[in-house]
Amino acid sequence: MNSDPIGVFDSGIGGLTVLKEIFRVLQQESTVYLGDTARVPYGIRSAETVVRYSFENTEFLVAKGIKLLVIACNTVSAVSLDAIKERLSMPVIGVIEPGARAAVKATKNNRIGVIGTEATINSGAYARVIQQIDGALDVFGLPCPLFVPLVEEGLTDDEITVMVAKKYLRQVRDKGIDTLVLGCTHYPLLKSVIGKVMGDTVTLIDSAIETVKEIRETLLRDSAECNALREPSRLFYVTDSPDRFKSVGERFLGQKIKTIEKIDIGL
Amino acid sequence: MNSDPIGVFDSGIGGLTVLKEIFRVLQQESTVYLGDTARVPYGIRSAETVVRYSFENTEFLVAKGIKLLVIACNTVSAVSLDAIKERLSMPVIGVIEPGARAAVKATKNNRIGVIGTEATINSGAYARVIQQIDGALDVFGLPCPLFVPLVEEGLTDDEITVMVAKKYLRQVRDKGIDTLVLGCTHYPLLKSVIGKVMGDTVTLIDSAIETVKEIRETLLRDSAECNALREPSRLFYVTDSPDRFKSVGERFLGQKIKTIEKIDIGL
């Protein structure tokens, strides 16, 4: 039993899909979320820059007294997870391994597709983790750069998004995959469009859901879950103006964000 | 006669549409371009942050011995042009005033539309400049956040982009405007799609073309144009990995970028 908060960071708002799932599954846990909105998007930066940013974010959250760190960002999980694990004694959970493991379990024809940002796909991180588990699996990565701006524009259920999805996803459908990993924290909001385009025969893997399963197992294993009956605290920090984070973020979370504090990091 | 280079900076690659127009109209001029790709996009940052970044970029270019500074970025032009002008003794040219002046000249029914990023439109900078020239003009601003990612994805002539353009532009068309300012340096690449959607009766104002007219007039006025017969030098600097800048940038420029140097700024 440990009532310290869970720390979650992302380069921006995408990680809120993971946070939303924490709220749903681990209702008693307090959380501290950091969105590095002054330096978003990480996906177009060099590995060296992403590692530096992620260390700074980690330090901020550790100073908040967290018991477990969630890297709710595919780019950072791909590039910098091991380096962060080495630095910390607490559990550190990224979003790639849980999604990769779930995909390996789900596939029946041994053909897995992974969609994400250019940085995530070009890093090859999902393919590496999946093939470490089972070298006989075929993995097809596909960057879908327009999905993030479409989600942030609120077009999660628009004909335009369906057309973009058809244009992109044809390339993984043609590979005969039976499992598709949504390898970007924004994509759970497109699950219905992606599901329609891919059809019933393809299983979609939602990294947010898989990541929170792993957080839960880790807390139970360490007897570190929070059973306190008080209201959990839910803190939000951003590194640039909170206005946009609040309006777009509330759509991601499906609930109001009461207070957000702007902090300076890495200046 | 002055053979020092013209300095141009943008938060990323959008400013290359202005640079391309400089290459076309001012063929003898040497140039130094800085794309602050480590900190792009500026459009979602606070004014305070944008001003700080723009000072750092300015310092870098001034140290390169430029004779004139072009701020090829609507966000910086909206937020930080006056502050930069105060600091420098050389001419400083932004992209907003030239476009605004051309729109005032072009309109016959006194109704002008302006499209751009959320930051540019929310700053109200175009409306302010246009109404300073003629307070009787009506200005209708409209943010079009998906246009930049669509251009960067290379979909400048795609049915998806036509649908997005129709969805957005209906809102300015319904205002009965006869002039539309392309208030973002990416938008000249969408001129053909936007022109089709708006129809023949609406004049499109290309900020890149108007800005370079003003650069030319300023150089002529100051007798600072370059008449040297040698090949002009064309230098490119970026603040993060040059790979993506090169591939997307060559599409913007319509020509090869031979060498790009990565520099560190504001660390």
Side-chain angles (χ1 to χ4, degrees), chain A residues 37-41 44-46 48-49 52-53 118 143-146 149-150 153 155 158-160 163-164 167-168 240-241 244 262 267, chain B residues 37-41 44-46 48-49 52-53 118 143-146 149-150 153 155 158-160 163-164 167-168 240-241 244 262 267:
Chain A
T37 49
R39 305 189 293 194
V40 72
I44 55 170
R45 324 240 176 261
S46 64
E48 181 197 348
T49 303
R52 185 163 55 82
Y53 289 179
E118 277 180 287
C144 303
L146 285 168
L150 285 166
E153 187 72 337
L155 300 182
D158 193 284
E159 200 194 337
I160 290 169
M163 281 180 68
V164 172
K167 191 180 179 82
Y168 282 139
D240 206 333
S241 159
R244 189 166 180 278
K262 179 183 175 301
L267 292 182
Chain B
T37 49
R39 305 189 292 194
V40 73
I44 54 169
R45 322 237 177 263
S46 64
E48 180 197 348
T49 303
R52 184 162 56 83
Y53 289 179
E118 278 181 284
C144 303
L146 286 167
L150 285 166
E153 187 73 339
L155 300 181
D158 192 283
E159 199 195 336
I160 290 168
M163 281 180 68
V164 173
K167 191 180 179 79
Y168 283 139
D240 206 334
S241 160
R244 189 166 180 277
K262 178 184 175 302
L267 292 183

Side-chain angles (χ1 to χ4, degrees), chain B residues 141-158:
Chain B
L142 177 73
C144 303
L146 286 167
F147 278 175
V148 166
L150 285 166
V151 167
E152 298 204 355
E153 187 73 339
L155 300 181
T156 46
D157 197 29
D158 192 283

Side-chain angles (χ1 to χ4, degrees), chain A residues 7-243:
Chain A
V8 182
F9 80 81
D10 177 31
S11 55
I13 56 176
L16 292 177
T17 57
V18 179
L19 192 69
K20 184 185 182 185
E21 184 68 9
I22 293 177
F23 288 175
R24 195 179 69 83
V25 175
L26 302 166
Q27 294 172 12
Q28 285 312 306
E29 298 294 340
S30 291
T31 55
V32 188
Y33 185 92
L34 168 62
D36 190 9
T37 49
R39 305 189 293 194
V40 72
Y42 285 9
I44 55 170
R45 324 240 176 261
S46 64
E48 181 197 348
T49 303
V50 170
V51 169
R52 185 163 55 82
Y53 289 179
S54 69
F55 283 172
E56 289 166 355
N57 298 342
T58 298
E59 270 166 37
F60 174 83
L61 287 174
V62 167
K64 293 286 165 194
I66 58 171
K67 63 183 172 188
L68 179 148
L69 177 66
V70 183
I71 299 171
C73 171
N74 278 276
T75 304
V76 177
S77 299
V79 167
S80 170
L81 178 66
D82 292 338
I84 295 173
K85 276 186 177 169
E86 263 172 41
R87 289 194 158 202
L88 295 188
S89 53
M90 71 181 71
V92 181
I93 294 174
V95 284
I96 290 181
E97 287 178 26
R101 271 198 293 269
V104 172
K105 267 194 208 162
T107 187
K108 293 195 168 64
N109 74 357
N110 293 351
R111 299 173 81 77
I112 297 170
V114 181
I115 54 175
T117 63
E118 277 180 287
T120 299
I121 299 305
N122 293 344
S123 77
Y126 275 99
R128 204 161 47 241
V129 175
I130 289 171
Q131 285 169 341
Q132 272 165 7
I133 304 173
D134 185 346
L137 298 174
D138 285 323
V139 183
F140 305 96
L142 177 72
C144 303
L146 285 168
F147 278 175
V148 166
L150 285 166
V151 168
E152 298 205 353
E153 187 72 337
L155 300 182
T156 45
D157 197 29
D158 193 284
E159 200 194 337
I160 290 169
T161 307
V162 174
M163 281 180 68
V164 172
K166 280 184 181 162
K167 191 180 179 82
Y168 282 139
L169 298 176
R170 187 180 305 132
Q171 298 167 61
V172 279
R173 254 196 12 205
D174 289 352
K175 303 286 183 189
I177 60 163
D178 71 351
T179 305
L180 180 65
V181 181
L182 310 184
C184 170
T185 51
H186 280 67
Y187 296 0
L189 284 94
L190 296 177
K191 220 192 271 183
S192 125
V193 166
I194 294 170
K196 259 182 246 163
V197 172
M198 293 304 294
D200 288 344
T201 55
V202 174
T203 307
L204 302 187
I205 304 294
D206 179 331
S207 300
I209 293 176
E210 302 305 328
T211 301
V212 176
K213 277 186 201 163
E214 180 155 336
I215 296 168
R216 187 160 176 271
E217 283 160 19
T218 305
L219 291 176
L220 290 172
R221 185 198 66 203
D222 298 350
S223 303
E225 74 277 27
C226 176
N227 301 317
L229 288 176
R230 57 156 180 63
E231 188 81 0
S233 81
R234 291 167 172 184
L235 303 176
F236 294 88
Y237 296 91
V238 291
T239 53
D240 206 333
S241 159
D243 300 344

